[in-house]
Amino acid sequence: MRIAVQSLIVCFVTLPAALSIAGEFEEAAAGNWHQWRGPLATGVSPTAEPPTEWSEEKNIKWKVRIPGDGSSTPAVWGDRVYVLSAEATDRAADEKPEVHPDAKTLPPDVYYRFLVLCLDRATGKVLWQKTACEAVPHEGRHQSHSYAGSSPLTEGRRLYAFFGSRGLFCYDLDGQLLWRRDFGKMRTRYGWGEAATPALHGDTLIVPWDQEDESFVVALDAATGETRWRKDRDEPTGWATPLIVEQDGATQVILNGANRVRSYDLTNGELLWECGGQTVNAIPSPVRHGDAVVCMSGYRGYHACAIPLAARGDVTGGETVRWSHGRGTPYVPSPLLYDGLLYFTRANSAILTCLDAESGEPAYEMERLSELNSLYASPSAADGKIYITDRDGVTMVLRHGREFKVLAVNRLDDPVDASPVPIGKSLLLRGRRHLYCIEESQ
């Protein structure tokens, strides 16, 4: 994926200089994990060499208790790791929030602190911790969820922390608040909670806001938080993170949804193309392969399809769609794309399929990962290895390729819903209580 850097290019910069800056940013981003699904938005690190084996007693470089609770994946830039969390306090709510009749959860009766932490990547030492806000969540959450489900992101200059109905907060990398935005109170399906992560491209930040009524997507100036455009969406509650890609000189914002996956023009929000066929609760992030994007969903049905980025208009059920696949697609986890191979698990279960991303044909299909149980974390990859972590903190390491091969099974004493982060010689795993840095002992 090519990453634009318009916000770094002032008006007097010549084209060769601009291209040089863009190349430098791409090179820097490749060695970091600055956004959800990593530097390429595929779940792959092109530079990391993480270990294959570990346990609570083996290859743990450091282990740090994170206050509160969270299921979001950390972001990494340079020597710093950024983590979001939500911590219940003993301060009683001033009044009970009103509960919507459709809700199947109850809001808490205490205030929460919504926390942003910066840790030293080498030692795990907390360099700074900020309370973005203190609030009583107006809705409950699914029993398997947390109030810190969105992942932080950065372009190496600013850090963006999204707590949904509690707001979007922009900090400099030393923890100084630069701006914040409040989009109101989201009403989620059954009161299950919020988890979508914004996406960043150059100087534009895209914020998804799919809820039970009056859904929208909004583009912000990343430096100021000011609105550039906003488009209404005919969608129920969603937990999908946008994918932003460049194709033929234009930049598209691709956002999954239960009704349709849609592509918007980054500059003005114009709808470029749309495609129906998704299942309820379309959570997985789209992933780009060549000149097409692959979209998936897997709750109460299974669906995957490859849509050319050159598509225009409504392509539902038409010949424009290059291929489709109707078995074993994911519910919560997003797919992994590695060297033309597309890996994904069935619903939230430990059953793995690997497709050729160009043709949609299986390399292998419905392989049971016998050591794993239920999954929320998305698979990650680096150095020819696939990392799949279940909700019990067990990680299976597979050999990347067209043949199914298990390399190792590793166990930690902490539940894990966040996705593995391969970075440098390390693997970061964020449990519900601890953040682990896993690295070969010297």
Side-chain angles (χ1 to χ4, degrees):
M1 184 181 74
R2 294 169 293 176
I3 301 175
V5 289
Q6 295 98 319
S7 61
L8 298 179
I9 303 172
V10 293
C11 59
F12 57 83
V13 174
T14 63
L15 180 59
L19 292 176
S20 175
I21 293 172
E24 290 174 2
F25 184 81
E26 286 189 8
E27 183 177 355
N32 288 287
W33 195 275
H34 66 291
Q35 62 182 356
W36 166 242
R37 302 308 286 143
L40 307 177
T42 58
V44 176
S45 169
T47 62
E49 297 176 331
T52 302
E53 298 181 347
W54 64 86
S55 69
E56 288 284 350
E57 294 76 34
K58 178 182 180 181
N59 288 339
I60 303 297
K61 184 176 182 180
W62 49 260
K63 173 183 176 182
V64 175
R65 178 72 169 93
I66 300 296
D69 182 30
S71 49
S72 62
T73 299
V76 181
W77 189 270
D79 59 0
R80 296 185 173 191
V81 180
Y82 301 97
V83 182
L84 306 186
S85 189
E87 181 181 33
T89 73
D90 57 5
R91 178 186 170 193
D94 301 318
E95 58 184 23
K96 292 184 178 180
E98 182 178 351
V99 180
H100 193 275
D102 293 339
K104 294 185 177 180
T105 65
L106 293 176
D109 57 4
V110 297
Y111 277 79
Y112 274 70
R113 295 188 188 95
F114 294 88
L115 304 175
V116 184
L117 294 91
C118 172
L119 290 79
D120 183 272
R121 181 175 145 196
T123 65
K125 178 184 177 182
V126 176
L127 300 177
W128 54 261
Q129 176 179 315
K130 301 294 181 179
T131 300
C133 67
E134 290 193 13
V136 179
H138 68 289
E139 285 189 331
R141 56 180 174 81
H142 194 278
Q143 62 182 359
S144 65
H145 195 24
S146 77
Y147 285 119
S150 301
S151 298
L153 65 157
T154 179
E155 78 288 69
R157 294 176 299 144
R158 294 180 289 265
L159 177 71
Y160 307 90
F162 187 46
F163 291 105
S165 296
R166 268 59 65 188
L168 172 62
F169 301 82
C170 175
Y171 297 86
D172 68 21
L173 298 191
D174 292 322
Q176 179 68 37
L177 183 65
L178 301 177
W179 56 260
R180 65 172 294 180
R181 284 291 304 268
D182 184 350
F183 300 99
K185 293 182 178 179
M186 184 178 288
R187 184 168 75 84
T188 63
R189 186 183 188 198
Y190 300 145
W192 279 346
E194 310 167 18
T197 296
L200 180 66
H201 186 90
D203 59 356
T204 302
L205 190 66
I206 300 295
V207 181
W209 194 270
D210 284 350
Q211 57 178 343
E212 287 305 277
D213 42 43
E214 300 181 358
S215 297
F216 61 89
V217 58
V218 61
L220 308 179
D221 184 304
T224 66
E226 295 179 358
T227 298
R228 290 185 165 171
W229 54 259
R230 171 173 163 157
K231 296 294 180 180
D232 293 336
R233 283 171 53 81
D234 177 23
E235 288 291 341
T237 302
W239 298 271
T241 295
L243 172 70
I244 307 180
V245 298
E246 292 183 1
Q247 178 70 16
D248 297 331
T251 306
Q252 302 185 29
V253 177
I254 302 167
L255 183 53
N256 211 352
N259 292 334
R260 293 169 181 268
V261 57
R262 296 175 176 86
S263 173
Y264 303 89
D265 188 311
L266 179 72
T267 59
N268 56 21
E270 176 189 355
L271 182 65
L272 299 176
W273 55 262
E274 57 186 332
C275 186
Q278 300 292 77
T279 71
V280 178
N281 297 352
I283 297 175
S285 299
V287 63
R288 177 183 185 163
H289 174 66
D291 62 352
V293 62
V294 179
C295 304
M296 295 187 179
S297 54
Y299 180 63
R300 297 182 180 175
Y302 303 106
H303 177 76
C305 64
I307 304 165
L309 292 168
R312 290 297 181 267
D314 188 348
V315 300
T316 306
E319 295 181 356
T320 299
V321 175
R322 288 187 179 165
W323 57 258
S324 60
H325 185 84
R327 294 186 66 199
T329 51
Y331 176 21
V332 172
S334 292
L336 168 74
L337 178 65
Y338 195 2
D339 292 339
L341 294 180
L342 196 63
Y343 300 87
F344 53 88
T345 50
R346 179 182 181 270
N348 293 336
S349 63
I351 299 174
L352 183 68
T353 292
C354 175
L355 301 184
D356 183 294
E358 184 67 26
S359 66
E361 293 298 317
Y364 56 82
E365 194 172 10
M366 308 293 279
E367 287 280 356
R368 184 169 295 277
L369 308 176
S370 59
E371 301 290 336
L372 303 183
N373 291 311
S374 179
L375 308 170
Y376 271 17
S378 301
S380 301
D383 194 30
K385 293 173 285 192
I386 311 297
Y387 296 84
I388 303 177
T389 303
D390 75 3
R391 305 196 66 220
D392 295 326
V394 181
T395 301
M396 184 171 283
V397 184
L398 308 178
R399 173 62 63 195
H400 162 54
R402 292 178 175 271
E403 295 184 4
F404 179 77
K405 182 178 181 180
V406 177
L407 299 180
V409 178
N410 307 293
R411 291 174 168 82
L412 296 176
D413 298 333
D414 201 354
V416 175
D417 286 338
S419 302
V421 174
I423 186 80
K425 299 291 186 179
S426 305
L427 186 76
L428 297 177
L429 275 178
R430 192 263 177 91
R432 299 302 286 253
R433 298 183 297 272
H434 300 91
L435 177 63
Y436 292 82
C437 180
I438 301 163
E439 189 171 304
E440 292 278 0
S441 300
Q442 299 299 321

